[in-house]
Amino acid sequence: MSMLAAATSTPIHVPRVEWVAILPELILVGAALVLLTASGLRRARLPRGVHMIATIAAAGGALGAAWYLWAQVSDGKARDAVAGAVVVDGFSVFFMILVSCAVVLGALLADDYLRREDLDGPEFYALMMLSASGAMFMAAANDLIVLFLGLELLSISLYVMAGLHLRRSESQEAAMKYFLLGAFSSAFFLYGIALVYGATGSTALPAIADFLRTNVLVSNGLLVGGLGFLLVGLGFKVAAVPFHMWTPDVYQGAPTPVTGFMAAAAKAAGFAGLLRVLFSTFITYRLDWQPVVWALAVATLVLGSVVALVQTDVKRMLAYSSIAHAGYVLVGVEVATSRGTAGALFYLLAYTFMVLGSFGVVTVVGRRGDAAHDLDTYRGLASRRPALALAFTIFLLAQAGVPPSTGFLAKFYVIGAAVEARAYALAIIAMVAAVVAAFFYLRVIVVMYMTASEEAESPRLRVPVGVTVALAATLGFTLVFGIVPGTVFDFARHATVLRF
Amino acid sequence: MVPGSWFLGLAAILFTIGAVGLLVRRNVLVMFMCVELMLNAVNLTFVTFARMLDDIGGQVVVFFVLVVAAAEVVVGLGIIVAIFRRRHDATADDVFALRG
């Protein structure tokens, strides 16, 4: 009786939840659940294209909600929400917008692909929206546990998406490799959280930052070890060397639209987590992590660019190129200035559009069965489908860093930031890697334009409407903002306002 | 009274066993169990720190980790079953055909 009295006299403190702060995530999760339930309840199949349209509508809603949030935070204001679990600032809203764009483009690429491969259904779209909400939670995380939950939501959905093509054993192999290595890296990440928690007494990022500012640890082995494990976990997600082993196999084996979405969203989310942890929390330990990030960046740039040279499978080559791109973003991270961060964010946004465009072309050329990805299938593409070959050429040149394109400016901004921060060695290595990388991008272009196709094509490659729209959008972004980058770069610059 | 550092040491040993096991074993189910061992080592670390710091946060984290591990089991076993259906074994060396 006395216990009951005690229980009633202490009211349970219910935190105030600001739903608006997590509206983009809620829209995507809600749409995913509605989509799954609706197609589960209906006996007949939904008319074709409905899943895609619903997904694009949901992503558009998330984009609108993110835009609304942007208006509140673009002048550098940041606020906690949901009892300090998430933070709404320019940085998190930037990634919400980026991921929403990736969802729209991913849905456009997937629509015809799924019908072509007899995989049509709500699963792909629902999983894509769930993983996108995980990516957004990672960017908005204000607590290491929220970061971990976002990471898992992103990853677990992607494991299933990688294995979605039931009749290709490569797809299932990709799912299994991604799953085993992803779970392995998650365990490291989690152990890192545990060690940081033990060293600082909290998992909330602001509390850790406060602790590190006000205390000088006599023996900081626990903390540095924890930070190291966090870097390992996030390094896996962004495919930084030496944690890149899964990337070529998973990129090659996964269904091509999934590869495109994964390359864009998972990399961006991994870097969102990395930037948030390093800059808003461990900035006082900059001298400890900068050399590590330096080594990661150099290894990633060199290995990604060099190994891509010997690939004969285009998807695999693009996988190594995505590793190399992670190296450039790491250059922006390493310099640890606001200019470097702005460059890294601009790079991630530019890469999202370039890579989804590239994989859009690969989706079409892959044909039914999703197996024709050898470099030989691109022979004489320019004479068969000139527009498609031209689009692929522009994406490859943009990835190689040829002006006028967002790809060139992205490299220019991160390397410029490195020079400004007097990281000359890093800047030189990045430029040499860009020269090496140009070779394998040009090789594909040469194959498309300079060689004739051996036999007459049968049947002619069909470019579906959805892919056409996606290619037009990505091409437009890559070229227009490659010439007038002001708006997008300002956007990235305002998004670097992390809370220190 | 067993000091907290013993538990931390035990957790570190379990984590190492899991990590090494995942790298050296070739049976996918055993590799999968090694991941679970690593996650549970982390749970032990969290609980020990929660006790040492006298903070409830670390114990709450364990619940989140358990939920995530359960979700991972569902998806992981689903993928393994899908592979079993196509070929009646699950040795990593046989399944792994993508190279380059």
Side-chain angles (χ1 to χ4, degrees), chain A residues 150-483:
Chain A
L151 180 84
E152 287 299 311
L153 188 51
L154 169 80
S155 308
I156 292 178
S157 313
L158 281 175
Y159 303 149
V160 185
M161 285 166 78
L164 209 60
H165 203 312
L166 292 172
R167 283 178 310 286
R168 286 187 73 223
S169 59
E170 291 91 342
S171 174
Q172 279 156 26
E173 182 182 329
M176 198 177 79
K177 282 183 176 170
Y178 195 23
F179 168 71
L180 281 174
L181 288 172
F184 186 57
S185 71
S186 300
F188 273 100
F189 184 74
L190 201 57
Y191 200 47
I193 297 177
L195 295 184
V196 170
Y197 170 67
T200 63
S202 177
T203 55
L205 294 178
I208 297 171
D210 280 344
F211 180 88
L212 296 180
R213 241 196 318 271
T214 49
N215 294 276
V216 177
L217 295 177
V218 181
S219 64
N220 59 7
L222 209 56
L223 184 76
V224 172
L227 180 58
F229 281 130
L230 291 180
L231 279 178
V232 172
L234 291 169
F236 260 101
K237 276 292 155 263
V238 304
V241 177
F243 315 115
H244 68 288
M245 297 83 74
W246 57 274
T247 316
D249 290 345
V250 174
Y251 276 39
Q252 187 187 353
T256 312
V258 175
T259 311
F261 176 74
M262 182 163 47
K267 200 173 287 278
F271 273 113
L274 196 66
L275 288 163
R276 177 78 78 186
V277 167
L278 290 182
F279 288 172
S280 78
T281 310
F282 286 96
I283 195 72
T284 39
Y285 275 67
R286 193 169 65 230
L287 296 178
D288 284 303
W289 56 256
Q290 254 178 334
V292 180
V293 176
W294 192 92
L296 283 179
V298 169
T300 309
L301 282 168
V302 171
L303 188 128
S305 305
V306 171
V307 181
L309 290 174
V310 297
Q311 301 305 319
T312 54
D313 186 289
V314 171
K315 270 171 99 177
R316 216 175 168 81
M317 186 210 86
L318 286 173
Y320 279 106
S321 110
S322 95
I323 294 174
H325 285 300
Y328 293 103
V329 184
L330 281 172
V331 170
V333 176
E334 197 272 344
V335 298
T337 59
S338 66
R339 188 137 174 245
T341 320
L345 293 181
F346 183 85
Y347 204 113
L348 287 170
L349 191 62
Y351 178 69
T352 299
F353 285 88
M354 288 189 295
V355 77
L356 275 159
S358 305
F359 279 108
V361 177
V362 176
T363 305
V364 173
V365 180
R367 292 179 177 276
R368 193 174 154 77
D370 199 10
H373 296 305
D374 200 77
L375 200 54
D376 284 337
T377 47
Y378 287 79
R379 272 178 194 285
L381 188 70
S383 57
R384 288 176 282 151
R385 298 298 312 229
L388 199 63
L390 182 66
F392 202 33
T393 305
I394 292 171
F395 289 129
L396 290 174
L397 288 177
Q399 291 200 50
V402 176
S405 68
T406 49
F408 162 72
L409 290 169
K411 283 192 172 59
F412 178 74
Y413 288 142
V414 290
I415 293 173
V419 170
E420 196 187 56
R422 296 173 184 280
Y424 298 120
L426 197 59
I428 289 169
I429 293 169
M431 281 188 270
V432 171
V435 173
V436 175
F439 175 76
F440 61 80
Y441 294 120
L442 288 173
R443 192 175 58 156
V444 180
I445 297 170
V446 166
V447 166
M448 286 194 299
Y449 280 91
M450 308 286 184
T451 57
S453 47
E454 273 138 20
E455 67 255 44
E457 188 189 18
S458 62
R460 193 173 139 80
L461 278 180
R462 195 172 54 83
V463 185
V465 181
V467 176
T468 313
V469 174
L471 289 182
T474 47
L475 269 182
F477 183 92
T478 304
L479 289 178
V480 170
F481 293 112
I483 296 164

Side-chain angles (χ1 to χ4, degrees), chain A residues 2-21:
Chain A
S2 62
M3 270 174 69
L4 193 66
T8 47
S9 65
T10 45
I12 294 174
H13 181 70
V14 181
R16 208 167 70 81
V17 178
E18 285 177 83
W19 299 107
V20 178

